[in-house]
Amino acid sequence: MRIFKFGGASVKDANGVKNVASVLQHEGIENVLVVISAMGKMTNAFEQVADAYFYKKDSLKDFLTNIEDYHKKIITNLFKDGHQIYTKVDFLLGELAGIMATNNSTNYNQVYDQIVGYGELLSTNIVSAYLTDIGVKNKWLDVRDYIKTDANYRDAKVNWKFTQQEIKNNIVVNSLNITQGFLGRCGTETTTLGREGSDFTAGVFAYCLNADSVTIWKDVAGVLNADPRVFTETELLNEISYTEAIEMAFYGASVIHPKTIQPLEQKNIPLFVRSFENLSNKGTCVGKGTKINPEVPCFIVKKNQILISISAKDFSFMVESNISDVFDKLHEHKLKVNLIQNSAISFSVCVDDKYNLFENFYNDLKAKFKIKSYKNVTLYTIRHFDNEAITTIRKKGKSIISQINTETAQLAIQTLPSN
């Protein structure tokens, strides 16, 4: 079986849905399982709904109307009046409204997962219905029936034992299956695997089904050595080893989800990253073997970081006991660490504040430690760096911290104000 994953950019409008059908017809539909994300930027739109539900009730109706209008516009351009997909979309949106009306939970992350997952449920129902309409037989699957997780909402961990049982026992491998990325289930409640988790969903299915390959279809030629939205000159990487892909994902490369590679590596399943706009392009192959081809500097950018510098108020050394206290609080407040640097009396970290808990972290430590923070920092990571690559990054602003080892350089940069 082959696993295909299509992200939001591939199904952002009616033409995108038609193109997905064309890709499947070109590549063949036998023994294929397709994982599809929410359409366009709909995950962001559903996040606005979650925020409005908790904090801005007056805006909730408008956000829901925008979501309905967006999907209705797509199906109007794909289906005739009276098609059953109109009823299905109305049903799903009504189900979402019912969840919000009857919810008693004050746990934001829990409610977030119940709301945001409707982006994938809508997109997959629309794609499945369109394929059926043009004569491409397929089976729509609710991924929550197969991927079982814990209750760590917004970043749920897969229960591999039960997930493998459900997938192996219930997936028909000789047909075309359409399902959602990003979602799972704990008990009766929807969970999510973390933003951009649809890639990981593809990896989970590939592992459990001993797939021949996974292909992630993108609007770029494959894995590039830099984000074209940030850098004007980029190169296509033809081959990347599993180890190199894990390194790049760890540092924040957005093309491949950090959790995706491990299950594929365990069973030596190749991962292809290809363009849905140019089917003759072979793209990038991630697999066992060549570290990286061509061997060029690779730039990874993480914006909106917070750089935190911590030292003890009594001028004691920042050794195991003090650092242990800091890490306990980093973990408690879900601050993801992307860079670490320490000296005898100070300890610095560059973190993602995904859950907006930095102020809580600061308040917990300020009695014992002196804390200085820099917000709106951009962290640049350069794999296989050379002097020219480092010089290029240093020109982008004030370097607050830099760290260099054998193959990787990291620079935390504050952008200089323009004249």
Side-chain angles (χ1 to χ4, degrees):
M1 173 168 271
R2 293 171 296 158
I3 312 296
F4 289 171
K5 181 261 177 175
F6 291 93
S10 64
V11 288
K12 65 182 179 181
D13 52 27
N15 286 333
V17 174
K18 292 176 182 178
N19 190 60
V20 167
S22 297
V23 171
L24 292 174
Q25 290 170 323
H26 180 272
E27 297 294 314
I29 61 173
E30 293 296 323
N31 301 325
V32 173
L33 185 142
V34 181
V35 175
I36 301 176
S37 302
M39 294 175 143
K41 300 295 184 181
M42 278 295 103
T43 299
N44 293 340
F46 278 99
E47 285 182 334
Q48 289 179 320
V49 169
D51 286 343
Y53 176 75
F54 270 88
Y55 310 120
K56 303 173 184 176
K57 293 285 189 182
D58 292 343
S59 303
L60 182 58
K61 183 178 179 181
D62 288 339
F63 287 134
L64 288 170
T65 298
N66 289 338
I67 287 171
E68 180 178 4
D69 290 346
Y70 179 89
H71 289 93
K72 289 287 180 68
K73 180 179 178 181
I74 290 175
I75 62 177
T76 298
N77 289 321
L78 291 174
F79 303 95
K80 295 179 180 178
D81 290 343
H83 193 284
Q84 61 184 5
I85 191 62
Y86 289 91
T87 302
K88 185 64 178 180
V89 168
D90 286 340
F91 172 81
L92 288 169
L93 293 174
E95 190 175 65
L96 171 60
I99 287 173
M100 291 188 289
T102 59
N103 169 66
N104 294 315
S105 175
T106 58
N107 182 335
Y108 177 89
N109 293 332
Q110 180 182 9
V111 178
Y112 170 102
D113 279 6
Q114 312 317 304
I115 292 173
V116 173
Y118 276 87
E120 277 71 18
L121 295 173
L122 286 161
S123 67
T124 51
N125 271 283
I126 291 169
V127 173
S128 177
Y130 178 73
L131 290 170
T132 300
D133 225 35
I134 64 171
V136 178
K137 186 177 180 181
N138 69 93
K139 183 177 182 180
W140 183 89
L141 306 175
D142 188 333
V143 73
R144 299 170 297 180
D145 293 337
Y146 303 94
I147 294 185
K148 306 301 180 182
T149 75
D150 65 8
N152 186 33
Y153 297 104
R154 295 186 69 185
D155 194 19
K157 305 299 182 292
V158 172
N159 183 319
W160 285 96
K161 177 182 177 181
F162 291 114
T163 296
Q164 287 184 78
Q165 288 177 356
E166 294 297 335
I167 290 176
K168 286 181 177 180
N169 294 337
N170 297 298
I171 298 290
V172 178
V173 297
N174 62 351
S175 62
L176 174 62
N177 298 281
I178 308 293
T179 196
Q180 307 78 40
F182 182 50
L183 308 181
R185 180 176 282 152
C186 179
T188 60
E189 293 206 312
T190 300
T191 55
T192 62
L193 307 179
R195 283 300 301 263
E196 310 301 329
S198 294
D199 289 0
F200 182 44
T201 302
V204 171
F205 276 107
Y207 179 90
C208 295
L209 292 169
N210 295 309
D212 298 316
S213 64
V214 173
T215 302
I216 298 175
W217 296 94
K218 307 281 289 185
D219 56 357
V220 292
V223 179
L224 306 177
N225 75 317
D227 188 337
R229 295 169 297 183
V230 180
F231 296 86
T232 56
E233 296 183 9
T234 61
E235 288 191 54
L236 174 68
L237 304 178
N238 301 314
E239 297 176 80
I240 307 174
S241 69
Y242 291 123
T243 301
E244 183 65 28
I246 290 171
E247 289 278 1
M248 292 174 68
F250 172 79
Y251 287 114
S254 60
V255 169
I256 304 171
H257 190 275
K259 300 176 185 175
T260 304
I261 303 299
Q262 287 94 334
L264 303 182
E265 183 183 24
Q266 288 183 40
K267 293 195 174 181
N268 198 23
I269 299 169
L271 168 67
F272 298 96
V273 182
R274 295 178 59 189
S275 169
F276 57 72
E277 297 173 340
N278 184 359
L279 301 184
S280 63
N281 192 323
K282 294 182 179 179
T284 302
C285 178
V286 180
K288 186 176 181 180
T290 304
K291 181 189 296 185
I292 184 172
N293 175 33
E295 190 164 327
V296 294
C298 296
F299 300 86
I300 301 158
V301 182
K302 292 184 75 68
K303 297 182 179 181
N304 302 316
Q305 302 287 289
I306 302 176
L307 183 66
I308 311 166
S309 182
I310 302 170
S311 58
K313 288 187 173 181
D314 61 4
F315 293 98
S316 60
F317 292 147
M318 290 297 290
V319 291
E320 289 84 353
S321 58
N322 282 336
I323 292 176
S324 176
D325 290 342
V326 173
F327 269 104
D328 283 344
K329 292 301 178 182
L330 287 168
H331 175 72
E332 179 181 336
H333 297 296
K334 299 183 179 182
L335 295 171
K336 183 181 182 299
V337 176
N338 296 308
L339 179 149
I340 300 172
Q341 190 175 90
N342 67 286
S343 66
I345 60 172
S346 69
F347 176 77
S348 297
V349 288
C350 199
V351 301
D352 279 322
D353 186 19
K354 175 181 175 180
Y355 297 96
N356 296 315
L357 294 174
F358 169 73
E359 296 302 326
N360 294 345
F361 167 83
Y362 177 88
N363 291 331
D364 280 356
L365 290 181
K366 67 181 181 181
K368 183 177 180 180
F369 297 99
K370 292 188 292 184
I371 305 171
K372 187 173 183 179
S373 65
Y374 304 82
K375 296 188 177 181
N376 300 315
V377 169
T378 300
L379 178 63
Y380 292 90
T381 301
I382 314 170
R383 291 282 296 166
H384 313 290
F385 66 91
D386 55 25
N387 290 334
E388 182 181 352
I390 292 177
T391 300
T392 297
I393 298 306
R394 289 194 187 279
K395 291 178 180 178
K396 292 185 176 292
K398 178 184 177 182
S399 178
I400 308 171
I401 281 182
S402 61
Q403 188 161 272
I404 299 175
N405 61 32
T406 306
E407 292 192 332
T408 305
Q410 289 187 286
L411 297 91
I413 301 289
Q414 269 195 323
T415 304
L416 297 174
S418 57
N419 294 327

